[in-house]
Amino acid sequence: TLLEQPCLHAGPRAHTAMNTTKGIARAVARSPWALARVACGVAVVAFLVYYILTNQTLLDDSALLTLVLVLAFIVYFQHDWALPAIEKLQPEVVWRIPVREQLAALTIDDIPQLQKPSALEEILDVLKENKVKATLMTMSGFNVSEECGGMEPAERQRYLDLLKRAVAEGHELGNHMKFDRPAVAMLNHEFDEAFEHCDELLVGLAGGKAPWLSRPRRWFRPASALWSSHILEAARKKGYTTVLTNCYPHDVAAPSRFLNHVYLAHRARPGAVLLVHDRWHTPATLAKALPAIAKKGLKLCTLSELQAAADSEKAQDAKKSD
């Protein structure tokens, strides 16, 4: 069993970006704390501009600052025009699942959050209230003994029951390893142990190996969203598809909670893979974002449901071309 194992992470695009920027600006204006952070950011940028203007290496510094700002813009907004080049570098990694239908996948990482109180129960309540199904990227480390970094027995059982509830309510579970450690920083045998540990938990929650292996897709997201060739090979051999995201509000930083629902509402689009984390502020974010996303006609679903829709569209296109 898991507990017995030894202790061993400008067209339509421009219009969407403008809407996102306006929405974020409105949210900032309503929050004194957010305004203070923006003021600090402006002060930092002003200092950098002053430094560049008074520095003799003006051209080099200006080029460096421009590059940093462009990269920050691309990383934060994750525009679709930037993705093809990244996807070509490693086609095995899924960033999005393009579809014509008004569908996008909602994924939630770090289920259940171990270092701080998990909001899993509240997250499930919000999803149920909004009739949304999600893919919950599960970390299995909660289900080991306290000596090995897990939860105390009553809490372990509580979160096992919550995961069973999630499955019963139509959500799907994905492999997010054992603990929140960057996967790419692990030795190969450490990664293998963490991956297998989570896989074993998922098999049990699915009702055994047969139903788990019969799933059309099993999803894996490496902790910290970085990978190596060994990580991709190990996931592939176990029949998992490695998935990242193209809609991520960087919600692991608590101050971002003032803007996360605005970001999600405006950046969610057909084929997108949305990502949030199990954090204390996530239920409030989802409670605001999910109705806004539904209002613009976009339905959120699991990764497998989104993939099935994409496969169906491809099959229909193939029939038309015959």
Side-chain angles (χ1 to χ4, degrees):
T1 67
L2 297 179
L3 287 176
E4 292 170 348
Q5 293 183 2
C7 304
L8 292 180
H9 167 281
R13 297 190 185 107
H15 180 68
T16 301
M18 187 168 291
N19 284 342
T20 304
T21 304
K22 288 180 179 178
I24 290 175
R26 284 195 295 270
V28 168
R30 291 194 297 266
S31 168
W33 176 236
L35 281 172
R37 296 203 324 278
V38 169
C40 290
V42 170
V44 170
V45 171
F47 171 78
L48 290 174
V49 171
Y50 172 79
Y51 171 77
I52 289 171
L53 293 177
T54 57
N55 195 289
Q56 293 189 3
T57 58
L58 174 62
L59 185 60
D60 290 344
D61 290 343
S62 297
L64 179 60
L65 177 61
T66 301
L67 177 61
V68 169
L69 292 176
V70 169
L71 288 175
F73 180 82
I74 292 173
V75 168
Y76 184 69
F77 286 105
Q78 295 182 289
H79 286 288
D80 290 336
W81 55 262
L83 273 179
I86 299 173
E87 290 170 327
K88 285 180 182 177
L89 291 175
Q90 183 46 264
E92 190 172 350
V93 176
V94 174
W95 295 79
R96 55 182 173 170
I97 305 174
V99 289
R100 294 186 295 272
E101 191 175 349
Q102 291 292 308
L103 280 178
L106 174 62
T107 66
I108 306 177
D109 276 10
D110 298 355
I111 299 289
Q113 169 75 339
L114 186 59
Q115 286 79 18
K116 299 175 183 177
S118 170
L120 177 55
E121 185 170 9
E122 293 81 2
I123 288 171
L124 291 177
D125 290 342
V126 174
L127 294 176
K128 186 175 183 179
E129 181 180 346
N130 288 273
K131 297 180 174 60
V132 168
K133 302 296 186 291
T135 300
L136 308 181
M137 292 298 182
T138 306
M139 295 187 304
S140 60
F142 78 95
N143 199 36
V144 300
S145 65
E146 293 176 86
E147 293 78 12
C148 293
M151 295 179 176
E152 57 94 15
E155 283 294 282
R156 285 202 298 269
Q157 189 57 54
R158 175 172 178 252
Y159 285 102
L160 283 171
D161 290 341
L162 284 172
L163 288 172
K164 292 174 184 176
R165 170 192 162 184
V167 172
E169 292 179 353
H171 305 291
E172 72 176 347
L173 305 182
N175 189 322
H176 199 39
M177 304 172 52
K178 189 175 181 180
F179 295 113
D180 194 12
R181 287 183 56 201
V184 75
M186 294 180 174
L187 299 175
N188 288 350
H189 74 274
E190 292 176 327
F191 169 81
D192 293 342
E193 190 274 333
F195 185 93
E196 292 285 349
H197 188 271
C198 188
D199 181 65
E200 185 177 336
L201 174 69
L202 299 180
V203 167
L205 290 168
K209 257 189 178 177
W212 181 242
L213 295 178
S214 68
R215 295 181 60 83
R217 294 263 182 165
R218 295 182 296 284
W219 301 95
F220 164 66
R221 181 175 285 143
S224 298
L226 297 172
W227 69 85
S228 65
S229 58
H230 176 80
I231 289 171
L232 295 182
E233 183 181 2
R236 188 190 324 119
K237 285 181 177 179
K238 292 288 289 187
Y240 282 84
T241 299
T242 301
V243 60
L244 295 185
T245 175
N246 69 333
C247 185
Y248 170 44
H250 299 270
D251 62 326
V252 291
S256 71
R257 67 187 183 277
F258 299 107
L259 306 177
N260 292 337
H261 67 285
V262 179
Y263 180 100
L264 292 169
H266 289 285
R267 291 300 297 152
R269 63 266 195 207
V273 176
L274 284 64
L275 166 61
V276 294
H277 290 76
D278 178 2
R279 297 294 187 271
W280 63 267
H281 49 84
T282 301
T285 293
L286 293 176
K288 294 177 182 177
L290 298 185
I293 292 171
K295 189 175 181 180
K296 68 179 192 178
L298 190 67
K299 180 182 178 182
L300 296 180
C301 60
T302 67
L303 284 167
S304 291
E305 289 171 331
L306 183 60
Q307 185 64 59
D311 293 342
S312 176
E313 289 184 358
K314 287 180 183 177
Q316 292 172 10
D317 293 342
K319 284 183 179 180
K320 290 177 182 178
S321 63
D322 288 344

